[in-house]
Amino acid sequence: MNEIYKLTLTEVVEKLKSRQISATEMISAALARIEVTEPNLKACLTILGDQALSAARKLDQDGPDPTRPLWGVPVTVKDVFCTKGIRTTAASRYLENYIPAYDAQVVIKLRQAGAVIVAKTNLDEFAMGSSTEFSAFGPTRNPWNLTKVPGGSSGGAAASVVAFQTPGALGTDTGGSIRQPATLCGCVGLKPTYGRVSRYGIVAYGSSLDQAGPLARRVRDCASLLSVIAGYDDRDATSSLHQTDDYTTAQPVTLRGFKLGLPQELWNIKLDPDIEDALKNALKILEETGVELRSVNLPHLKYSVAAYYILATAEASTNLARYDGVRYGHRSNNPQDLTELYMASRSEALGPEVRRRILLGTFALSAGYYDTYYKKAAQVRRLIRDDYYQALTDCDLLITPVSSLLAWDFGSFIQDPLTLYQLDLMTLPVNLAGLPALALPVTLGKTSGLPVGLQLIGRPFDEINIISAGLALEELFPPLR
Ligand code: GLN
């Protein structure tokens, strides 16, 4: 049992419950694994060694508790989840020394379930990006090839799970930030329906798009994490009263006769040859298994990247107005007056991508441009949502690629933000539509040896169906080794 860090979350839960391993052993194993892998990986911004160990000892003293489904399980959370007494940076210089006075709702729920947070993971500053290269504290590396990006913005979470630091992690997804890094690193990532999980205590980026969700090496492990974090919270007015399911009871769907819709607008896009090859093959296998593949259309999809980057930056510009050098976080030394305090504090401590987005968003909301940009984008968003609803009317789920590129070399798009934005085309429309989606690894690319993944998209609050289909697909496409 010297490799217990390699166990899946479901296996860890079983072994802890039957006392084959203690919480202290499990947490120590995770911390030891973090210590070995971090010098190369750089997935963690804060490691909670002593704190995690004393939490584990306490759990062992009290003994396993059947009402706590994640009793003794080591997890990480992306460094946008507020953690009481533990610094929460959002990978920004601005919040480098910010210590929240409260826990995010999902952190409370994880702790209540008996999980132990061992580290807070790296991301693009304020979750704005797709590679973790915009982290103010340096990028995370892809565990399959250290010269490649892990994706983003939850790149630290994905890399950490794939490198066996912990069996599960929480990330956030505003336009793909759970699903894309999961795919580029080769693990499973689930973005719940907007409103399924409380956003209370999450450093806000685009409030009408942000959603927290799990990453893990297995579909069932994501289901266990979702069961813990899902549900209404009266401190998040956008959280939903819609009843949650017990996602842990999901069973693989029968693939014979299962209807998967293929949005033509996404399947006609030029993909990396390795991805194209792997996904064509995957579709063939699905068809041979009896899945009914149907062409569907999303006519307004071509406007989605433009609409998203107006709405997300507009929301970001208002959300980030709170970083004014007065209330908390970075404050400039010796400003001449109040205006200079605001300006200097912000420009000293916010990175170039974040500043670009604040400028874009402020412009889109400004008098005279609001109707042309923000209002128009909000109208387009509705059309995109209707497209997805329509496409889902006679399919069980939609199936699409997650990314048109494999994990790329560091620096590839740093000077080219518009190309980077375009790369979100497969994931961000799902956030505009508010729908749940699962990213699932399929295989390693033939020539690159890098992970390729698929995305399943479902109806609102139909996570159980996505998970059930994911379980069935996982039998066809076993986890990557
Ligand atoms: N890449 C997208 C963006 O930069 C999505 C990020 C996210 O989901 N947090 O906005």
Side-chain angles (χ1 to χ4, degrees):
M1 286 271 252
N2 48 3
E3 290 200 333
I4 53 175
Y5 63 83
K6 284 196 176 166
L7 298 172
T8 67
L9 187 138
T10 307
E11 291 165 344
V12 168
V13 166
E14 277 311 310
K15 289 218 181 328
L16 286 164
K17 200 159 57 173
S18 59
R19 303 218 96 169
Q20 283 171 270
I21 49 178
S22 68
T24 312
E25 277 172 294
M26 193 60 231
I27 300 308
S28 307
L31 289 169
R33 181 68 185 166
I34 289 175
E35 199 175 315
V36 172
T37 49
E38 265 308 277
N40 284 325
L41 205 61
K42 306 203 179 302
C44 303
L45 292 177
T46 303
I47 301 167
L48 300 166
D50 293 342
Q51 202 170 338
L53 274 174
S54 58
R57 281 192 210 105
K58 171 98 176 46
L59 288 172
D60 279 330
Q61 271 165 23
D62 300 344
D65 178 345
T67 66
R68 304 176 83 186
L70 298 178
W71 188 91
V73 177
V75 295
T76 64
V77 298
K78 184 178 181 176
D79 208 14
V80 284
F81 294 102
C82 282
T83 40
K84 188 175 175 176
I86 300 163
R87 100 187 164 121
T88 299
T89 67
S92 180
R93 288 271 167 231
Y94 193 94
L95 294 177
E96 191 168 6
N97 301 309
Y98 169 58
I99 300 186
Y102 64 101
D103 278 327
Q105 174 69 0
V106 295
V107 168
I108 295 172
K109 287 194 159 198
L110 280 177
R111 294 221 174 96
Q112 280 171 350
V116 178
I117 298 170
V118 294
K120 302 200 68 187
T121 54
N122 198 13
L123 64 147
D124 292 286
E125 185 174 358
F126 288 107
M128 297 174 189
S130 319
S131 66
T132 78
E133 289 169 291
F134 295 132
S135 167
F137 308 113
T140 297
R141 302 201 181 112
N142 191 306
W144 292 92
N145 180 335
L146 298 174
T147 69
K148 308 281 181 190
V149 300
S153 65
S154 312
S160 170
V161 157
V162 170
F164 300 106
Q165 290 185 341
T166 62
L170 290 191
T172 56
D173 191 313
T174 305
S177 278
I178 289 175
R179 292 160 287 155
Q180 184 260 22
T183 296
L184 267 46
C185 289
C187 67
V188 183
L190 174 61
K191 183 202 93 74
T193 309
Y194 182 77
R196 179 68 303 170
V197 176
S198 169
R199 293 184 295 107
Y200 175 79
I202 300 177
V203 177
Y205 165 15
S207 301
S208 77
L209 301 153
D210 297 341
Q211 213 16 221
L215 298 94
R217 296 187 297 275
R218 294 289 198 285
V219 174
R220 192 165 289 295
D221 299 346
C222 282
S224 300
L225 286 163
L226 181 62
S227 277
V228 166
I229 61 171
Y232 174 71
D233 173 14
D234 61 13
R235 291 175 300 182
D236 170 6
T238 62
S239 78
S240 174
L241 284 160
H242 198 282
Q243 188 193 325
T244 58
D245 292 299
D246 180 357
Y247 307 104
T248 60
T249 61
Q251 291 303 318
V253 296
T254 306
L255 287 175
R256 183 154 300 283
F258 197 78
K259 295 185 202 70
L260 288 177
L262 280 79
Q264 291 310 294
E265 293 77 3
L266 289 172
W267 283 100
N268 288 337
I269 282 168
K270 194 171 144 2
L271 303 171
D272 178 282
D274 259 11
I275 300 178
E276 166 115 36
D277 192 58
L279 295 188
K280 286 239 163 89
N281 194 42
L283 292 181
K284 206 170 111 227
I285 293 174
L286 286 172
E287 231 171 0
E288 285 164 6
T289 319
V291 173
E292 268 182 50
L293 299 179
R294 304 188 163 187
S295 289
V296 295
N297 289 101
L298 302 170
H300 300 92
L301 193 91
K302 52 181 176 289
Y303 307 117
S304 61
V305 174
Y308 170 90
Y309 276 96
I310 288 169
L311 297 171
T313 59
E315 292 182 18
S317 77
T318 57
N319 272 326
L320 272 64
R322 72 192 69 181
Y323 306 118
D324 55 8
V326 176
R327 282 171 276 199
Y328 51 91
H330 177 76
R331 176 176 297 179
S332 182
N333 282 327
N334 305 318
Q336 298 304 305
D337 55 30
L338 187 62
T339 306
E340 201 187 310
L341 169 71
Y342 295 147
M343 289 172 63
S345 301
R346 286 165 77 77
S347 32
E348 282 164 14
L350 297 176
E353 180 61 23
V354 172
R355 280 184 276 151
R356 170 165 31 238
R357 294 192 186 205
I358 292 172
L359 287 171
L360 277 171
T362 306
F363 178 74
L365 289 175
S366 53
Y369 296 101
Y370 176 89
D371 285 345
T372 320
Y373 295 108
Y374 183 84
K375 192 168 161 216
K376 189 64 102 191
Q379 289 166 332
V380 167
R381 176 182 194 169
R382 171 61 71 95
L383 295 174
I384 292 167
R385 192 197 71 172
D386 291 349
D387 283 357
Y388 274 89
Y389 282 21
Q390 180 60 35
L392 279 160
T393 49
D394 35 57
C395 305
D396 292 298
L397 298 172
L398 304 181
I399 186 167
T400 77
V402 181
S403 168
S404 54
L405 295 185
L406 299 159
W408 56 84
D409 291 325
F410 286 103
S412 303
F413 301 107
I414 288 284
Q415 303 302 335
D416 189 3
L418 287 181
T419 303
L420 198 61
Y421 298 170
Q422 287 294 336
L423 291 176
D424 295 332
L425 177 66
M426 314 269 182
T427 50
L428 64 75
V430 177
N431 300 71
L432 290 173
L435 300 174
L438 181 83
L440 182 85
V442 170
T443 185
L444 295 174
K446 271 212 187 85
T447 53
S448 61
L450 292 167
V452 178
L454 274 174
Q455 171 170 239
L456 297 173
I457 303 163
R459 297 184 187 82
F461 302 103
D462 203 10
E463 282 81 3
I464 193 92
N465 191 24
I466 299 187
I467 290 166
S468 305
L471 289 168
L473 260 59
E474 201 175 38
E475 288 170 8
L476 297 176
F477 312 114
L480 309 179
R481 290 197 174 271

